[in-house]
Amino acid sequence: MLTLSTFVKSAKKCAYNPSVSNEEFLNALLEPYVFAGGVVAKGGTAFRLDKHRTSKILSGQADVPLALRKVSLQHGLERRVSEGCAILWDETLNPMYFGEFKKDIASLIDGEDPLQKALGEKLCVKEEDPDAYLACLLIGVIGLKNRPETQGVIWRKGTGSFSWLVGDLFRFGFNSRKKAKNLVVVPVDCSFETHVTRDYEGLEVKRVSENTVHGKWLIRMAQSGVLEPELKERISYELRGVARDSEGCCPVGTVAAIETPKSVFLLLAVSKFDSNGNAKSGPEDISRALDCLLGYYDRLGQGADMYMPLIGTGLSRSGLDVRESFGMIVDAVTRGASFVGGKVVLVLLPEVAAELGLIK
């Protein structure tokens, strides 16, 4: 997708000095626009992006500065920027790479986005004039979003909704600043293990990996002062009265609620450990667990916001890829939509959201 960030990265391939710092290069690219538009920083000082702001922009974590966008509709701006771009092609960018640069930009334009499509059509008219092309492109990307969409609504009805967002699941559990406590779902094994097995322990049979949501939660709980003996006792109390099999496992879909000062963690049983310490489950287990979770939310959720990860894609070995897990969760929530009385949010890693086509 074409953004200020991807524009800068493409332009740097044309740089006379490829080793120039990102800070120096970005400010050089913006100079024709800043000069032509009379852009100034707060307090009327000269406009310049520092190293920190440059890094945020190029990583897509910050949007285009408002000071730049404020002047984008000035009369005659493109003509004045074009004059500055002539110097840019002479001193900073090598015109020998203009052809490759145009191809690169064309590949970035999202034809389904009206703004990007319109910009692409404007650029086609200016393909034979490097100065005019670069000026049009520079003004265009400043008007585009630099940060990808990081959340979206999948379903909404009354007070109930189901949405997704890119972020850290535990931010809504350990770092929430809301007065009302969030519910945060943590997939666990059916025996509700409380010990994280690390590589240095040298055990023949390893169980809860520190790389799973389960393992990371146990580590975060210990860091917050809730150590293994206390946690084991609290979970046992929550599971009192739940029938267990001969191996001490609860049924798939069993939920144990562990409350902390900032949130309530819902431990959801989705898998069993085999004799080798590997978690095992199947698509039918994941489906059953999701139905049980939504049933629990309907009965006891009291309309609280519930945050959950993809389930069944990691070390639970259910055989689901991210698309299949996503599809099963969407189906479970929308199928039981009448029982969703609050906000349910699926929290995804950036690379997973990209694989699902939710962000570009």
Side-chain angles (χ1 to χ4, degrees), residues 137-160:
L137 177 57
L138 186 54
I139 294 171
V141 295
I142 285 173
L144 298 175
K145 290 182 179 180
N146 189 56
R147 287 190 297 185
E149 294 294 338
T150 56
Q151 59 186 2
V153 176
I154 298 172
W155 167 89
R156 188 195 304 276
K157 184 177 181 181
T159 59

Side-chain angles (χ1 to χ4, degrees), residues 42-64:
K42 289 182 179 179
T45 58
F47 180 88
R48 182 177 176 81
L49 298 173
D50 60 19
K51 183 177 180 180
H52 176 73
R53 193 71 179 276
T54 297
S55 176
K56 288 285 188 180
I57 289 174
L58 295 189
S59 63
Q61 297 178 47
D63 211 346
V64 177

Side-chain angles (χ1 to χ4, degrees), residues 296-341:
Y296 181 97
Y297 182 65
D298 176 43
R299 296 191 311 275
L300 302 170
Q302 298 182 336
D305 296 347
M306 183 169 75
Y307 296 84
M308 62 185 295
L310 282 182
I311 297 175
T313 60
L315 297 180
S316 64
R317 296 177 174 82
S318 66
L320 299 177
D321 60 26
V322 296
R323 292 183 180 278
E324 291 169 330
S325 176
F326 180 74
M328 288 185 71
I329 293 173
V330 172
D331 177 66
V333 175
T334 55
R335 177 166 32 86
S338 59
F339 303 110
V340 178

Side-chain angles (χ1 to χ4, degrees), residues 35-336:
F35 181 78
V39 180
V40 293
K42 289 182 179 179
T45 58
F47 180 88
R48 182 177 176 81
L49 298 173
D50 60 19
K51 183 177 180 180
H52 176 73
R53 193 71 179 276
T54 297
S55 176
K56 288 285 188 180
I57 289 174
L58 295 189
S59 63
Q61 297 178 47
D63 211 346
V64 177
L66 184 58
L68 293 174
R69 286 184 170 161
K70 281 182 176 180
V71 304
S72 63
L73 297 179
Q74 281 187 7
H75 178 70
L77 179 64
E78 187 170 328
R79 174 183 53 79
R80 297 195 301 275
V81 174
S82 181
E83 293 171 358
C85 285
I87 299 174
L88 193 61
W89 279 115
D90 185 50
E91 297 181 350
T92 305
L93 303 176
N94 189 336
M96 289 181 60
Y97 298 112
F98 180 53
E100 291 301 315
F101 177 63
K102 289 188 295 183
K103 292 179 183 178
D104 212 7
I105 294 300
S107 70
L108 291 171
I109 292 175
D110 181 0
E112 296 181 2
D113 183 291
L115 290 178
Q116 300 220 7
K117 183 178 180 181
L119 176 56
E121 291 171 352
K122 288 181 181 179
L123 292 173
C124 287
V125 179
K126 305 175 187 294
E127 283 191 335
E128 302 304 317
D129 186 339
D131 302 342
Y133 180 92
L134 187 56
C136 179
L137 177 57
L138 186 54
I139 294 171
V141 295
I142 285 173
L144 298 175
K145 290 182 179 180
N146 189 56
R147 287 190 297 185
E149 294 294 338
T150 56
Q151 59 186 2
V153 176
I154 298 172
W155 167 89
R156 188 195 304 276
K157 184 177 181 181
T159 59
S161 68
F162 179 46
S163 58
W164 63 272
L165 63 78
V166 174
D168 174 14
L169 177 69
F170 294 135
R171 175 167 68 87
F172 303 99
F174 292 102
N175 305 113
S176 176
R177 297 181 179 179
K178 292 163 50 179
K179 290 184 179 180
K181 293 185 178 182
N182 294 324
L183 304 179
V184 180
V185 179
V186 178
V188 302
D189 67 284
C190 291
S191 59
F192 290 82
E193 288 283 340
T194 56
H195 180 71
V196 179
T197 306
R198 294 175 171 83
D199 290 338
Y200 59 75
E201 292 186 68
L203 299 177
E204 289 186 9
V205 177
K206 301 182 185 297
R207 288 182 177 266
V208 182
S209 168
E210 60 189 322
N211 297 317
T212 61
V213 175
H214 186 182
K216 290 176 181 178
W217 177 74
L218 291 173
I219 292 171
R220 291 291 296 272
M221 287 295 285
Q223 291 172 342
S224 67
V226 183
L227 301 181
E228 187 177 341
E230 178 187 349
L231 190 56
K232 186 184 290 289
E233 183 178 343
R234 290 178 62 181
I235 291 174
S236 295
Y237 180 79
E238 285 294 314
L239 297 176
R240 66 193 185 283
V242 177
R244 296 176 181 254
D245 63 18
S246 59
E247 297 176 340
C249 294
C250 297
V252 166
T254 300
V255 176
I258 302 298
E259 187 170 4
T260 69
K262 293 181 179 292
S263 62
V264 179
F265 289 98
L266 303 182
L267 309 185
L268 175 66
V270 300
S271 62
K272 291 184 179 181
F273 286 117
D274 63 17
S275 58
N276 295 317
N278 294 319
K280 297 288 186 181
S281 67
E284 64 281 357
D285 295 317
I286 303 302
S287 179
R288 185 181 307 115
L290 289 170
D291 288 342
C292 289
L293 173 65
L294 292 171
Y296 181 97
Y297 182 65
D298 176 43
R299 296 191 311 275
L300 302 170
Q302 298 182 336
D305 296 347
M306 183 169 75
Y307 296 84
M308 62 185 295
L310 282 182
I311 297 175
T313 60
L315 297 180
S316 64
R317 296 177 174 82
S318 66
L320 299 177
D321 60 26
V322 296
R323 292 183 180 278
E324 291 169 330
S325 176
F326 180 74
M328 288 185 71
I329 293 173
V330 172
D331 177 66
V333 175
T334 55
R335 177 166 32 86

